[in-house]
Amino acid sequence: MAGCCNHQADFTGIDPVYKRILIAIILINGIMFFVEMFAGVQSNSQSLQADALDFLGDTLTYGISLWVIGKSLSLRSNIALLKGVSLLLMAIYVLSSTLYKFWFIQTPDAGIMGSIAILAFVANVVSVLLLMKYKDGDANVRSVWLCSRNDAIGNLVVLIAASGVWVTDSALPDLIVAAFLATLFLSSAKQIIQQANQEKRLQRLSTNEHEQKQSNDHCSLKAEDQTHNHQHEHKH
């Protein structure tokens, strides 16, 4: 998986085209959440339900990402940090529910799994292609790209899981893929949190340098005033 280093973090999302793309992707993800969650429950597929949760998380975080565009770096970094934490919580939920399901295994419907995974994959490939130009940027923009990329990868592995369920007539491939999706969430959460914290540190350094400069300028002005007053008194 790609890391969050060695990329330009200049782009903050202030672009009308990027905003329109985000709106379109929000709609795609919102629709796919309902479709995939319904199919996941009907087919008893843990991996489909995990992927549906990812669609829901993306819908919410993309909406927040759209809202914070143009806001202060501090707010954008804090929101990105919140996204990272939400991904972390999602990973914990998927892992724990997968472990629970492991002890109460019911074989999912491979046909429903496969057909819905194909539909979700197409939706996510469209999102990834739309965002390809904007994959590098600040933590807020970067998190949007990572979420979309994760979805596309997730749908591929759900397809693999559906094939495994069909071949083996077992729920284990489905559970293994659900666990894989959870580790993918963990990886992305780590990248987003690290970049958001880095941006917050840089902002603190910038603020401290600005305050130090103001303090030095004030001291210099005060010293000049004292020197001027002293010279004035000496003349008198």
Side-chain angles (χ1 to χ4, degrees):
M1 271 172 279
C4 60
C5 302
N6 301 320
H7 64 276
Q8 297 297 320
D10 298 332
F11 181 64
T12 60
I14 302 177
D15 181 343
V17 175
Y18 180 72
K19 291 180 180 179
R20 287 196 293 271
I21 288 173
L22 265 186
I23 292 172
I25 293 174
I26 288 168
L27 293 174
I28 291 171
N29 279 267
I31 292 169
M32 285 308 305
F33 160 69
F34 289 107
V35 171
E36 199 167 28
M37 181 56 75
F38 178 78
V41 171
Q42 290 297 310
S43 65
N44 196 40
S45 169
Q46 186 69 9
S47 60
L48 276 184
Q49 292 178 53
D51 201 46
L53 283 177
D54 196 23
F55 272 119
L56 175 62
D58 290 348
T59 303
L60 298 175
T61 56
Y62 292 169
I64 295 172
S65 294
L66 183 62
W67 175 69
V68 300
I69 289 174
K71 301 293 193 297
S72 68
L73 175 60
S74 176
L75 179 60
R76 285 185 281 118
S77 298
N78 285 332
I79 290 298
L81 194 60
L82 181 61
K83 292 180 196 175
V85 172
S86 67
L87 270 175
L88 180 63
L89 293 175
M90 191 183 298
I92 293 172
Y93 169 76
V94 172
L95 278 174
S96 58
S97 60
T98 300
L99 288 173
Y100 171 80
K101 289 278 187 179
F102 181 79
W103 301 107
F104 302 94
I105 295 177
Q106 290 180 299
T107 304
D109 187 316
I112 296 177
M113 281 182 66
S115 58
I116 295 299
I118 290 172
L119 177 61
F121 179 68
V122 171
N124 281 315
V125 167
V126 170
S127 299
V128 168
L129 291 176
L130 288 172
L131 289 168
M132 184 69 72
K133 181 181 176 182
Y134 306 99
K135 65 185 181 70
D136 294 326
D138 65 7
N140 182 52
V141 172
R142 180 70 172 166
S143 66
V144 171
W145 161 254
L146 285 173
C147 288
S148 296
R149 184 207 64 181
N150 283 357
D151 288 346
I153 295 173
N155 295 137
L156 278 178
V157 294
V158 171
L159 275 171
I160 294 172
S163 301
V165 169
W166 181 72
V167 171
T168 65
D169 194 29
S170 165
L172 281 178
D174 181 58
L175 298 178
I176 291 170
V177 165
F180 170 78
L181 290 176
T183 61
L184 195 63
F185 298 159
L186 285 173
S187 174
S188 294
K190 178 183 176 183
Q191 293 182 55
I192 293 169
I193 290 171
Q194 284 180 338
Q195 185 173 353
N197 283 329
Q198 182 181 27
E199 289 178 359
K200 289 170 72 69
R201 283 194 298 270
L202 290 174
Q203 186 192 31
R204 283 196 296 269
L205 286 173
S206 177
T207 301
N208 291 338
E209 288 175 359
H210 180 68
E211 290 176 350
Q212 185 63 42
K213 184 177 182 299
Q214 285 185 324
S215 177
N216 292 338
D217 290 344
H218 178 72
C219 290
S220 297
L221 288 172
K222 187 175 181 181
E224 289 176 3
D225 288 342
Q226 289 176 342
T227 301
H228 177 75
N229 291 336
H230 180 71
Q231 290 175 347
H232 183 72
E233 290 174 359
H234 181 70
K235 287 180 181 179
H236 286 285

